[in-house]
Every structure is written in C-alpha cells, then in structure tokens.
Amino acid sequence: MPEVDLTIEICGMSGDGTIAAGGLLNAALSKAGFFLMAFDSYPAEIRGFGRCVTRSRVGMEEMLALASETHVLISLDDEQSLSRVPFLAKNATVFFDNRPPSFVEEGRSIAAHVGPDVTLLGVPFRDLTARATGTTRGRNLTALGAFAGAFDLPPGPFHEIIRKKFDPKGEKVVLANIKSFDAGLQYAREKLDRSAKGIFPVPQKTGEETDRVLLSGNTAIARGALDAGLKLYFGYPITPATPIMEYLAKALPEKGGRLLQMEDEISSIGAVLGSFYAGGRAMTATSGPGLSLMTELITHGVMAEIPAVIIDAQRGGPATGLPTKTEQSDLHAAVFGGPGDSARIVIAPTNVSECYGYTVKSFQIAEKYQTPVIVLTDFFLDNRVENVGMPRAVPEEIFDGNVYPDPSLKDRYRRFERTESGISPRSIPGMEGFLFTTTGLEHSEIGVPDYAPQNHMLMSDKRHRKITGAMADLPAPREFSKGGSLKVGVIAWGSTFGSALEAVRKAEKKGIRAGALKITSIFPYHADIIREFMARCGEILIPELNYEGQLANLIGHLFRKEVQRLDRVTGEPFPASIILEKIESLAK
Amino acid sequence: MKTSGRVLAEKVAKIKDSKIFSIRSSNLPTWCPGCGYFGIHQGLNNAIQQLGLPHHEVVTVSGIGCAGRYPFFAHTYGLHTVHGRALPVATGVKLANPRLAVFAVGGDGDGLGIGGGHLPHIARRDIDVTYLLFDNSIYGLTKGQPSPSSPVGFKTKASPHGTTDAPLNATLMALSYGATFVARLFAGDPEAITEALVEGIQHKGFSFFHIYSTCVTFDKQFKTWDHLHEWVHPLPDSHDPTNLKQAMDEALEDQFSLGIFYRQRKE
Amino acid sequence: MSGQHFLVIGNGPAGNEAALTLREKAPDAQVTIISRNLGGSYCPHLIPDYIAGKIPEECLFVVTPDAYTDKNIKFRHGQRVVDLDPMKKTVILDHKEVIPFDGVIIAVGGKPRIPEYLRVFEDSLLTLKTVEDARIWVSMLPETDSVLLIGGDLTSFAVSKALIHLGKKIYFMLTEHAFWPLRPDGALLDEVSQRLACRGVEVISGKRLKSLTRPSGKCVAARFDDGYELEVGMIGAFYGLTPDIDFLRRSGFRMDRGVLVDEFLHTGFEGVYATGDCAQIYHPDLRDYWVSIGHANAVILGRTAANNLLGGEDQTAVVAESIFEVEGINVNTSWWMEF
C-alpha cells in the first residue's frame, strides 16, 4: 500500500469560510477512502473575530494522532497564515491568493516568510471565483479546488459533498459552489508547475466502499448515550461539553426523551441521580469546574449507592483554567474528588470509537455497580473528527444492568445487604414490598443511619469490594508490542495514547524494543495486568497532559523503581515526536 | 383553632392507634417531642392515605436538616440527599417515572439558603413535584443557628447580639418564581395540611407548601407554639386564589395568613 | 551597511554572483534574491545534456535553496517582479507584495527571442531556456520522432547534438539569424551546414516559414514559402535571447533592448544597478553600448555590480575570450556590438 501521511491546514480569518472548507475537505477525503483525523481551532473571542485554522491528517491507515508538521498550507488570509509558517515541513506546499484586492506590505505577505524549500503556489482565488460566480464568497472552495487539482485528487467526492452540504440552500447555490471549486481545479491543472517538488499526486484508495462516517468525540458520546437508551439529559453549558447537550437537545426528543438545561451543575447531577434512583437512564456532561461542583453529590452517589453517568470533558485547569485548550488534569478529581473514601468508577476513551463504545457501556456499568461512573475525555478528543466505521451498539451492551432483588425477599428486603460481591440488589420505586430509604449518612443494611464502629468498617469494605469487582466488566489494559521483555514501556491514557502508540511504532521501526500499554479503566485499575507489563520493561514512561503526573501518581507504585514522567501542559495535544525523543533517550 | 403542644400530643396519640398510621415506617422519629414536624408528618401521611396512593409508588426526597430526616419516618421510597439539593433530585425522579408521586421535603435553611437557587427553576419548569418547606426559622439539627427566615434581632449562640439581616419570605418568593400552586400552612393544624395537600398533590404541576413549624428545643423566642397559635389566621374569605397579584400582596402584607394563596387553573 | 536591504532580481549566474558578493561584503545587510523560476540557480549550458538524458535534473543546479539559507540570503523563488519604482525604491511582486529596498541589482537575463514575423506562431513554437522549459521537452520527446529546429543560435547546435543522441530525426532551418547575436560569415555557415548534414540532420535553407498548423495533438505541420511541407512532432525556436526587461518599461530607465547602464553598471538612479545579459553597457572608449553573453562574463558582471552598489568603482571587464564550439568548429568571441 502506498505511503500517504499528509497534513493539510487551512488558515484564514473569520468570514473566509475556513472552517467550512475544512469540513468539506474532510468529508471529501473520507469519501475518497482515506483515513483521517482533523482538528480545528476557532477564534478565542465570542465575537468570533480572529484566526481559524483547520488541520487534517490524511493517510491510508488509521490516524492515531496529529502530526507536528504541516505539508500543505492553504492560506485564505496571509496575515493569519504567517502564524502557521513555523510548522511547515521541509518541502511543504503553500497555496495563497496572488491577486489580493490591494497591495500588501512586504512583511504581511506569506510569500515573504516561507523558506526556500517551500513550494509557493499562487492561485488567484478571488479572481477565479468572481469570474465564475460573480462574487468572491466562494474563494475558499476555489482554494480547495486548487489543492485538489495540484495533488491529483478526484473531484468527484468533492462535488458530491458540496452538493450534499448546500442542497438545502437550493440548486443555484450548489452549482455556484461547484463552479468555484472547479475554477480552482482547472487553474491548478493548467497553470501550476506540477513538477515542482512540493506537489505530488496523492495515491488513490482503490475499490473499497467505505461505510465510514465523520464523527467528533462529542458527537460519538451523544450518539452512544442515545443508542444506550438515554431518556433524560440534565446539563449545563460549559466548554467543551456543550456540543453534547446541543446534539441531544435535538435528538433526544425525537426518541421520546427529554433534555433539561438546569440552573447549574449541581442540579444537573442531582437530577441524574434522582433519575437513576427511579430506574431511568440519565446523563450529564461537564468539564473540570462543573465536576468540582458535582463533587458532593457524586460522593453521595457513592455512599448511597446510586448510579450516575457523568462525562467530564477535560480542559486546561485548574479552576476556570483554559477553557479552549486541551489537558488531562482531572484524573485526581474524577477518581478521588470529595470527602471520605469515595473512589468511584472512572473510564477514559482514547479515540472517537471508544468515546461511543464506552459511553454506551457506562450506563450498564453504573447500574450494575450502583455508583457514579465518570467518563473522562479531553478537549482534543471531544472536538477532533475521525472517520470511523458507523458505530453501532450491540444489545448485550445496552441491556439493563441493574441487579434486582429476588421476589422472595419481599417485605424482608435489605437494600444494602452485605453480599459477597458487594453488589446489593436494588429495588426501583414502584416495586411493592421493596421499600427503602437511601442516604448519604453511613447506614445499616436496611438503610437507616448507623454510626456503629463495626458497621462502618463492614459497609466501607462492602462498597470497596463492589467497586474493585467492577474490573471484571471494565476494559482491561491493552498491550501493543512484540511481547516479551521491552527496553521501554509507554503507558498512556486518553487522547495521549494515540501519540504514544505512534511514537512506539516509530521506535520499533528504528529497532528499539518498545511497547505501549493502553489504560482505559482509570479506576479501578487492573493492577495485576499493569504490574506484569511493567515487570517486563526496563523503563516505564508515562506521558500525560497534566503537570502533576496524575496517572503516574496512581499506578507508579506498581513499578519496581521510579517511573519516568513526561508531563506537559501546553494546552496542545501531545506531539508523538516528543514521546519518541524520550523513548530514544531512555533506550540508550 | 388554638391548641397547645400538650393538646397536640394527645391528638397525636389518639390517631396513632388508628389505621392511618400504617404508612409510618418502622423507624422511630428522631425529632424532639413536641416538634412541629410531627404535625406535618401526620398531615402528609393522611393526604397520601386519603388519595389512596400506594406507598410503593411514593418517593420522598429530602435535604439535610431535621426536616431532612423525614424519609426515614415514612413508609415510602426515600432519598435522603445532600444539603439543599432535594428539588433537582426530585425533578430527576419524577421525570424518570411520571407515575410516581414525588415529594420534596426540607427545612428553611435547606430550602432558602443553600438550596435557594433551585426553587426558582423547579417552579418555572412546573415539574409535577410537591415541595414541603418546613419553616421553623432556625437551624435545628446543628443546634440552633439563625436561618434565612429568622427575624431581625433573633438571638442565638451564632448571633448573640441578634441577627441584622432581613428574613426571606418564602411564600412571596414561590409566587414570584411562577409556582403554579402555593399554600401556606401551620404544623399545628394537620387537617388543614391534609386538605390542602390533597389538592396540591393532584395539581398537575409544581405545588409549594410553606409550613410554619416550631423548634421546641432551640427557639424559645420566636416561633413557639404559643406565638404561632396566636399569630396565625386564615386568609380572608375574599381572597381569590386565582389572582396572582392579590396573592403576592397578601404574602407581602401579612406574614401569618394561612391557606391556598394561589392555584393556576390547569386544563 | 547594517539594517540595509539589498535586492537582486534574477537568479542566473550574474544574479547569483551578485547576491553572494553582497552577502560577503555586507555581512550585516539583509540580502534577498528574487527569481521567477522555482528552484535554485541552474546552469543554462547544461540543459542540452539534461534533455539528452545524460545528467539528472539535480545536476542542473549549482546553487540549491539551502545554500542561500546557509549564507543568510533570503531566497524568494517562484515569485516575479512586475514593477520597480526607482524613486520610491520599491519593487512590486506579481502577488501585489510591495518590497522596499536600499539597493537593487537587476540581473534578469534574457528570454528566448521570437522574431516579429514568427510571433503569430508563438503557441506552436517551443523554446528552451529554463528548467521548466526543459521539463516540457523531456516530457514530450518520448512521444516524438522528429523535431524541427529553426533559427540556429548557439544553443540550437547543442540541442541538435542531444536529439541525435536520443535518435530523433532532425530538421534544421538555418537562417540569417544563425549564431545570433554573432554575425557569421557565409563560409562559416556553409561549413556548419555540411557538418550537420553529415550527422543525418536535414538542413533547410533559403526558405521562410509560411504557416504552422496542428493536424493532430501530436504533430505540427510546417509549410514554407516555396511550398515545401513538413510534419514533425515538435518545433523548437532558437533565435537567441533578448533582455527580459518588459516589466521595467514604466520605471523610467533609459532602455533600448536592454537596460542602458554606464561602465559601472549604474542606471543613473541611486542604488539601482543592472548587470548580466539584460544590460547594455556603455563603453567609454567606443562611445557605444555593448552586451555580453556567456556564463563567465555574467559572473564577473554580477560581482562588479555588487561591488559598485556597495560603493566601489570597478569598471566592467570581460573575460579575455570565450570559445563556443559548434559542430566541431571553435568560434572565438567575447563580446560584440552588432545585432
């Protein structure tokens, strides 16, 4: 299979249609059969005035992470694009409009700033589209067309996607946009020196029809919840979780469910707990600051043994932090946040498919283990787009996870019976003869407050063995290596895992015996499996996007010596190259 | 109707022997003898019985405080949650299974202090939950601090020179938040509570019950039985419970009139 | 010298040498070299060997873009100057970027010359000056059996050698423009024609081209004034080079076919010099203007211009002699005036 690993960026100012062009590019490339991972940055201000950058990494196999360098930069606004020049790879290609509306000072043209190895392709975006359609509005499509033409991409998928997207606006708009695109395509085919180093035909994927769809992490989570039978969503807007609420606001009512935007995060989690208590599946999604507000009720859920499903879309912290930047620093808070011994189930997907799958499973797990389940994602994972196989939930994953009491216990029911597994069968309001009151106070088996010393020991033990028992139903750590003894073992979680795996694979190609361990069940964690992997490694490297090395703090003790921490808080996804560098230095 | 604490206790004892008490749980209440909450408890239980609600389809959600202990003493499904959050939890319960009769109970500290931010929203959403606010103008469980509804000059260990903050008017608040059924009652008159509750429970929307009560242990100056019996009186006959503005005027002017202040007609 | 910005327009031997000299002599100045073509500085005289397949494309380049970076010379390739204002001291690039300068050396060289009466056929004629041109030849030649070369400048002889090497049938039309800009005498022309014929080249003379048509995508039909008709795959026009300075017509320079400069290569505007093939240089002894051709001359002229821009007063000098080899005959020249 031919090698393709191309990172394409489109950069412009608000109003240039940057994000729209990026979306069309991703859809067309996905349709053409490529794998891709894409991530956009938006202007920071609400006014929406500022730089927009779309990044798409395209290849023939699953993309695990974003690349550090850009191969193609399409500049819709030179001044904004200047900021992207430092990231250009050697022999990169830059498309820019060589017929700007007015004269440009030397420093403000991108032509003045690219290195000599860069192939600079001037295409008169504005002129071409104005000539084709009468306005310059379609210049972003012209730019896309020029890119497609230069790199020999088939225009078919692009035409289809343009048609699909603009159909609601009428045939005239569709045709005008196709014209804009084609104007760029023609120009590239006819006028650009395609023998230049920076242009090459992109090999096509042959044959295979793809059933792949473009999904963001957030959309995958929302779809997973819906497919799992979500009926109620209680939420509060917070970046980056808001899109989940917005998706469900439309989709839930269509499935007979209901979405309430609550007055704060506290009432959101309160309502979720109330719903599960009454037997209904509910969910809320938030970020760090919201999670901290929910802490009290989460620990209540742990103590009163009430299920809940909470999505924590991590962002830069602490406190209000960096709302539009990615980070993985809520691990401590998610697992341990709150007073007392209240560790609860925390799982962390590493890609869009897992965002879907783990959300689906979380309901069942929450119900069976009668405790809040926190699904940790991060800004990058939530907002990035991957083309994945159409996600579908299998019935086994979505059936009711509750363990109900045996009917013979009617009128003799003890809600918090100390069973061997720690799971006390629970009744649902409406079941006659199985009444109980649950409480956040320490309680006896029948649920009345009880502070006796023995009772507290026994109940604490019951609750903890229940949570530990959940390991059987939670995804086990997964190893990616050639097995046996390894020089360097990399353990990573969340979106960082993709970068770690890419780094490990590159290290293997360089002859280093490296391996990766994917941890998705953060708590309870499979200590035995992790310990076994660590024992086979000379060094353990734990890269994560937080300053305090939170995963390392959690599992580092399982290694015979100190783990190597690689903590990074730049607000950007973890570059695979940095992990690779560290692997190489550890392998010396 | 005037009764003293002793007379009430006799009344209670009489009813205890009747079948109405079957709804009581096996747990002995931890409230102090003479606590006004017994009256409310009785009033609510009778309403449930009267309506024939099967008690396994009743859920009582409470916050923290003496009032918060309520679910343990009622033979229903109970959810004793954290301070101030009974209302959102009750919302979740009701929406998950609308067949259930859902009651939220809590004290004045729970409902007007930490929980104050939730009342407007359950009211304006008109969730079909019945909320009983047990207002004894004190924090009893924590041994006698002022609450948001304590009067100016209220002296406690936490306010030795008397409070200086103006008290909140829960009835007025509920009316201004758009609650579609608002009643103010008195723990010393359980029958009136039952009567109003029967209506409120059947009201298809949020029903708010502001119930004055006493804390016999820690409040010897303000809401004592004697004071309350002296001060309370029914709403004037001319009161039109479909007139919101009139209801709000009434709540503003008169702190101790009792009855159904407002009910919004529902189709 | 520090903080000043010097521009060199053109990346041929003259421009390249000028830029390197400026960098060497003004280490603190900003030096930018602007070239219309993509890629580094190439050797024009190696192009026929490239077409013949004797050398790979990389070998055409003497200076790679990286070499400029190493010397801290900003290299802007694939960017074309469309205007130069010597009063405001700015150049404008074709994408409307305005670049101010403190000093500029114009070294744009020449472009293939098409005589007026052949302009109507311009679309069907191929020229061969740049690497881009060469790539077109390389892509077309495999599908071509026969090539007609018209004109007969010095490059054309090297090209005919290359095409013979590739096994193509060659028709060569020698006209009065042969050896342009040299004026050969009749004897030299005859000698050359004979030697060409010996190598299987069909020499056409005494005719003028009347029409060019395209019966199909793959061939061109040429008809001459005496009725002679010819069908070939490609037609190459080799009428020499003419200074490529149309973009300067509005700038206010004294120009003829090239930019007129004094013996110091100065245009008369402060900080503006022209050098190499695009300049017509005043010779004080002859009281007339001369032009140079040849790689070696271009390099010297580039260096001279740079020195003078930085305050020197070097008079232009030329290589003692340049020898062009044509069909085994050595033609000795270094400069000339008539053309």
Side-chain angles (χ1 to χ4, degrees):
Chain A
M1 188 144 60
E3 264 286 321
V4 177
D5 185 359
L6 199 61
T7 295
I8 305 154
E9 279 193 14
I10 308 177
C11 181
M13 192 62 165
S14 317
D16 287 333
T18 312
I19 306 291
L24 289 168
L25 177 67
N26 295 336
L29 291 173
S30 179
K31 199 160 194 58
F34 295 98
F35 282 92
L36 64 90
M37 177 184 292
F39 186 52
D40 298 346
S41 340
Y42 295 80
E45 306 308 323
I46 298 298
R47 276 181 319 158
F49 201 68
R51 179 180 319 145
C52 304
V53 183
T54 74
R55 293 162 76 179
S56 308
R57 186 179 183 193
V58 177
M60 296 302 210
E61 333 179 280
E62 192 197 351
M63 294 281 108
L64 297 169
L66 290 180
S68 316
E69 293 183 318
T70 305
H71 304 101
V72 178
L73 173 61
I74 301 175
S75 168
L76 297 176
D77 181 308
D78 278 9
E79 263 192 86
Q80 298 306 323
S81 300
L82 292 182
S83 65
R84 306 308 305 163
V85 169
F87 301 100
L88 290 174
K90 207 147 173 40
N91 298 321
T93 310
V94 175
F95 291 84
F96 78 114
D97 191 333
N98 61 353
R99 293 279 169 280
S102 57
F103 288 104
V104 183
E105 265 174 46
E106 181 190 5
R108 291 160 81 176
S109 170
I110 199 162
H113 292 270
V114 294
D117 60 307
V118 167
T119 302
L120 189 64
L121 298 172
V123 177
F125 303 145
R126 284 179 183 77
D127 272 4
L128 288 171
T129 193
R131 221 167 293 168
T133 67
T135 103
T136 60
R137 204 177 316 142
R139 61 187 182 278
N140 58 341
L141 292 170
T142 306
L144 264 190
F147 163 70
F151 284 83
D152 258 346
L153 289 166
F158 288 91
H159 288 164
E160 273 182 67
I161 297 295
I162 291 175
R163 177 162 283 286
K164 197 156 157 228
K165 176 168 165 105
F166 292 103
D167 225 20
K169 296 209 171 157
E171 186 66 14
K172 265 176 93 182
V173 175
V174 171
L175 288 178
N177 285 331
I178 290 184
K179 267 203 198 146
S180 291
F181 177 86
D182 283 347
L185 186 79
Q186 283 307 107
Y187 187 91
R189 283 178 171 170
E190 288 164 12
K191 298 268 174 58
L192 294 181
D193 177 9
R194 314 247 305 287
S195 60
K197 246 206 204 124
I199 312 182
F200 45 87
V202 178
Q204 303 300 297
K205 264 226 146 163
T206 49
E208 352 170 357
E209 247 312 290
T210 66
D211 178 26
R212 285 204 294 272
V213 289
L214 283 174
L215 279 187
S216 67
N218 275 342
T219 311
I221 291 169
R223 297 261 282 249
L226 273 178
D227 288 352
L230 182 77
K231 277 296 177 291
L232 292 168
Y233 182 90
F234 302 99
Y236 191 76
I238 186 169
T239 309
T242 313
I244 299 174
M245 186 169 79
E246 290 172 344
Y247 185 97
L248 290 172
K250 262 211 218 131
L252 249 188
E254 285 166 13
K255 289 216 165 169
R258 198 164 159 188
L259 178 139
L260 263 72
Q261 183 187 301
M262 302 300 276
E263 56 271 26
D264 51 39
E265 285 87 347
I266 300 173
S267 48
S268 299
I269 182 64
V272 169
L273 286 165
S275 171
F276 268 102
Y277 172 85
R281 286 186 166 177
M283 180 174 92
T284 186
T286 187
S287 187
L291 185 70
S292 61
L293 287 171
M294 296 182 183
T295 300
E296 191 190 18
L297 276 163
I298 290 173
T299 54
H300 181 268
V302 174
M303 181 56 128
E305 303 199 51
I306 307 176
V309 172
I310 302 147
I311 312 291
D312 177 21
Q314 301 166 96
R315 71 195 207 179
T320 317
L322 299 83
T324 56
K325 298 287 173 197
T326 197
E327 206 163 273
Q328 299 177 278
S329 53
D330 287 353
L331 188 150
H332 285 159
V335 177
F336 298 116
D341 297 310
S342 57
R344 71 273 342 189
I345 299 176
V346 178
I347 50 184
T350 63
N351 60 30
V352 168
S353 291
E354 285 177 5
C355 281
Y356 175 87
Y358 288 8
T359 303
V360 168
K361 275 214 86 173
S362 62
F363 292 91
Q364 206 175 62
I365 291 178
E367 283 165 348
K368 180 170 177 188
Y369 294 95
Q370 300 169 16
T371 193
V373 172
I374 300 179
V375 180
L376 282 178
T377 67
D378 59 74
F379 185 95
F380 173 43
L381 184 52
D382 294 315
N383 286 299
R384 81 188 195 203
V385 160
E386 294 171 39
N387 55 347
V388 294
M390 188 67 178
R392 275 174 248 274
V394 297
E396 290 80 58
E397 290 171 337
I398 60 179
F399 65 59
D400 185 351
N402 287 306
V403 177
Y404 296 109
D406 192 276
S408 65
L409 290 171
K410 188 168 183 229
D411 294 326
R412 303 186 290 121
Y413 174 56
R414 290 176 302 161
R415 167 67 185 95
F416 298 101
E417 188 188 338
R418 291 191 280 264
T419 59
E420 200 182 312
S421 66
I423 300 176
S424 319
R426 81 174 178 121
S427 58
I428 305 289
M431 289 181 169
E432 196 173 344
F434 288 91
L435 274 61
F436 70 94
T437 292
T438 185
T439 173
L441 294 166
E442 183 60 281
H443 41 267
S444 65
E445 282 185 309
I446 56 170
V448 289
D450 185 341
Y451 310 152
Q454 243 329 45
N455 181 65
H456 190 37
M457 257 324 299
L458 290 171
M459 292 310 275
S460 297
D461 190 59
K462 165 216 183 304
R463 287 189 291 267
H464 282 85
R465 71 172 177 271
K466 172 186 77 168
I467 301 276
T468 310
M471 272 199 283
D473 282 315
L474 291 170
R478 204 177 137 198
E479 184 173 337
F480 295 79
S481 77
K482 296 191 168 64
S485 75
L486 303 163
K487 204 92 203 278
V488 180
V490 184
I491 305 182
W493 64 287
S495 66
T496 298
F497 178 73
S499 305
L501 183 58
E502 184 170 314
V504 162
R505 291 209 167 126
K506 288 201 169 125
E508 281 180 322
K509 282 211 182 93
K510 292 186 175 194
I512 301 176
R513 282 198 68 83
L517 188 72
K518 174 170 76 165
I519 302 226
T520 45
S521 178
I522 304 293
F523 200 87
Y525 55 88
H526 299 71
D528 289 340
I529 300 178
I530 299 171
R531 196 184 289 119
E532 193 275 330
F533 172 80
M534 285 175 160
R536 285 187 275 120
C537 296
E539 294 287 350
I540 289 290
L541 175 63
I542 304 186
E544 43 189 332
L545 289 173
N546 57 64
Y547 191 84
E548 292 171 5
Q550 298 191 11
L551 182 68
N553 286 346
L554 190 69
I555 60 170
H557 67 97
L558 296 168
F559 194 40
R560 61 183 177 278
K561 53 181 185 170
E562 286 283 328
V563 298
Q564 298 289 331
R565 292 158 180 257
L566 192 55
D567 304 320
R568 193 173 169 86
V569 283
T570 56
E572 299 289 312
F574 214 120
S577 53
I578 306 255
I579 302 178
L580 179 60
E581 254 175 56
K582 189 73 182 172
I583 294 174
E584 287 174 326
S585 84
L586 287 174
K588 286 210 176 69
Chain B
M1 179 168 61
K2 288 189 172 201
T3 49
S4 72
R6 187 174 50 83
V7 173
L8 178 62
E10 277 173 351
K11 242 187 154 175
V12 164
K14 201 161 73 178
I15 297 167
K16 200 172 173 177
D17 297 327
S18 77
K19 269 174 56 184
I20 292 174
F21 258 39
S22 66
I23 206 153
R24 283 220 167 171
S25 81
S26 55
N27 301 317
L28 287 176
T30 52
W31 298 323
C32 309
C35 174
Y37 292 175
F38 285 107
I40 307 175
H41 186 193
Q42 185 191 335
L44 176 53
N45 287 342
N46 289 347
I48 290 171
Q49 280 293 85
Q50 235 183 283
L51 286 169
L53 300 174
H55 44 91
H56 59 272
E57 285 182 7
V58 178
V59 180
T60 320
V61 184
S62 68
I64 300 290
C66 287
R69 298 299 176 109
Y70 181 95
F72 295 110
F73 316 138
H75 192 52
T76 65
Y77 276 93
L79 235 188
H80 178 220
T81 72
V82 299
H83 203 16
R85 316 296 175 192
L87 291 177
V89 177
T91 302
V93 175
K94 181 69 184 186
L95 290 181
N97 186 350
R99 268 182 60 100
L100 302 169
V102 182
F103 295 91
V105 302
D108 41 281
D110 187 84
L112 299 175
I114 181 171
H118 298 302
L119 183 57
H121 302 280
I122 196 171
R124 69 191 186 97
R125 285 195 191 105
D126 210 17
I127 307 281
D128 188 8
V129 159
T130 302
Y131 180 32
L132 290 88
L133 183 76
F134 300 10
D135 186 1
N136 59 9
S137 295
I138 200 165
Y139 281 39
L141 190 62
T142 44
K143 309 210 182 349
Q145 292 79 33
S147 89
S149 65
S150 304
V152 174
F154 195 58
K155 287 202 170 87
T156 66
K157 278 206 185 130
S159 58
H161 307 293
T163 55
T164 52
D165 303 334
L168 288 176
N169 183 334
T171 303
L172 184 61
M173 283 162 70
L175 288 166
S176 70
Y177 290 152
T180 54
F181 187 107
V182 178
R184 186 161 66 194
L185 301 155
F186 168 44
D189 189 354
E191 275 136 19
I193 293 177
T194 302
E195 202 183 311
L197 271 174
V198 164
E199 234 195 285
I201 293 167
Q202 290 179 101
H203 172 80
K204 294 229 179 308
F206 181 63
S207 50
F208 177 74
F209 288 80
H210 184 193
I211 309 179
Y212 286 142
S213 180
T214 64
C215 176
V216 291
T217 308
F218 294 109
D219 180 11
K220 313 258 198 264
Q221 57 188 291
F222 179 50
K223 279 181 169 151
T224 63
W225 280 121
D226 290 333
H227 280 164
L228 282 176
H229 279 295
E230 198 186 308
W231 296 336
V232 300
H233 52 269
L235 284 166
D237 290 326
S238 58
H239 183 80
D240 174 14
T242 62
N243 186 333
L244 178 61
K245 202 154 178 305
Q246 190 185 72
M248 289 177 78
D249 279 339
E250 183 62 45
L252 189 60
E253 299 293 317
D254 189 341
Q255 239 205 337
F256 292 101
S257 49
L258 304 179
I260 296 176
F261 272 68
Y262 178 68
R263 70 164 91 77
Q264 195 182 82
R265 210 150 302 225
K266 297 243 164 200
E267 256 74 88
Chain C
M1 285 304 142
S2 80
Q4 297 211 295
H5 187 194
F6 298 122
L7 290 182
V8 175
I9 307 176
N11 191 25
N16 179 54
E17 185 68 20
L20 292 174
T21 309
L22 283 172
R23 168 48 73 228
E24 188 195 316
K25 302 250 166 110
D28 295 329
Q30 195 189 331
V31 177
T32 303
I33 181 165
I34 305 176
S35 167
R36 184 176 47 194
N37 304 315
L38 280 174
S41 183
Y42 69 95
C43 278
H45 62 266
L46 290 177
I47 291 211
D49 285 339
Y50 168 60
I51 292 179
K54 291 187 188 155
I55 55 168
E57 196 179 293
E58 297 84 75
C59 291
L60 286 174
F61 296 95
V62 291
V63 185
T64 61
D66 286 339
Y68 286 125
T69 319
D70 291 342
K71 291 193 165 33
N72 195 20
I73 295 174
K74 198 169 168 80
F75 180 44
R76 301 184 55 156
H77 58 145
Q79 303 179 32
R80 194 162 59 90
V81 175
V82 296
D83 198 18
L84 191 155
D85 189 331
M87 298 299 287
K88 287 200 196 139
K89 294 182 116 176
T90 58
V91 304
I92 299 181
L93 301 184
D94 69 348
H95 54 269
K96 292 193 182 162
E97 189 183 339
V98 179
I99 306 180
F101 60 82
D102 293 294
V104 65
I105 297 175
I106 303 164
V108 294
K111 63 180 181 203
R113 189 176 79 97
I114 307 272
E116 274 309 317
Y117 66 90
L118 287 178
R119 281 209 189 271
V120 289
F121 304 121
E122 217 169 346
D123 289 342
S124 305
L125 297 173
L126 293 172
T127 56
L128 186 57
K129 166 118 202 311
T130 64
V131 177
E132 274 179 48
D133 295 337
R135 287 188 193 127
I136 294 174
W137 281 72
V138 165
S139 71
M140 287 180 73
L141 277 171
E143 315 266 309
T144 306
D145 297 322
S146 55
V147 181
L148 168 61
L149 305 176
I150 57 174
D153 67 13
L154 296 164
T155 313
S156 61
F157 295 105
V159 170
S160 73
K161 252 208 218 149
L163 294 177
I164 290 169
H165 178 80
L166 289 173
K168 309 292 178 191
K169 169 82 186 131
I170 302 173
Y171 299 88
F172 204 124
M173 188 168 96
L174 279 177
T175 68
E176 71 272 22
H177 299 276
F179 289 88
W180 196 91
L182 291 176
R183 284 269 170 86
D185 57 36
L188 180 59
L189 266 181
D190 288 339
E191 184 64 39
V192 168
S193 302
Q194 265 183 27
R195 295 200 187 204
L196 281 173
C198 287
R199 310 236 261 119
V201 173
E202 198 170 309
V203 178
I204 303 168
S205 53
K207 301 192 218 294
R208 274 176 95 84
L209 192 60
K210 190 101 180 287
S211 74
L212 280 181
T213 50
R214 230 174 236 291
S216 80
K218 286 220 190 290
C219 65
V220 190
R223 191 187 288 179
F224 294 84
D225 56 356
D226 65 350
Y228 181 55
E229 282 189 27
L230 197 52
E231 247 190 49
V232 289
M234 292 163 67
I235 304 187
F238 292 89
Y239 288 88
L241 298 178
T242 186
D244 193 2
I245 38 86
D246 284 335
F247 72 100
L248 292 173
R249 296 259 167 227
R250 287 177 317 227
S251 302
F253 296 113
R254 288 176 52 239
M255 294 166 71
D256 184 10
R257 291 186 334 113
V259 181
L260 299 179
V261 293
D262 64 17
E263 64 268 38
F264 302 105
L265 299 171
H266 189 235
T267 60
F269 288 98
E270 196 235 319
V272 184
Y273 291 76
T275 186
D277 288 357
C278 71
Q280 286 172 253
I281 309 164
Y282 187 71
H283 199 299
D285 297 333
L286 300 172
R287 302 236 182 104
D288 203 346
Y289 290 88
W290 60 275
V291 297
S292 96
I293 56 164
H295 182 272
N297 277 343
V299 171
I300 295 173
L301 288 173
R303 193 176 312 133
T304 307
N307 284 334
N308 290 350
L309 173 57
L310 295 177
E313 294 209 344
D314 299 354
Q315 284 216 20
T316 52
V318 292
V319 169
E321 52 180 43
S322 274
I323 298 180
F324 294 92
E325 182 265 316
V326 176
E327 290 304 313
I329 305 167
N330 285 337
V331 178
N332 190 330
T333 181
S334 64
W335 55 268
W336 53 90
M337 293 166 62
E338 294 182 352
F339 46 88

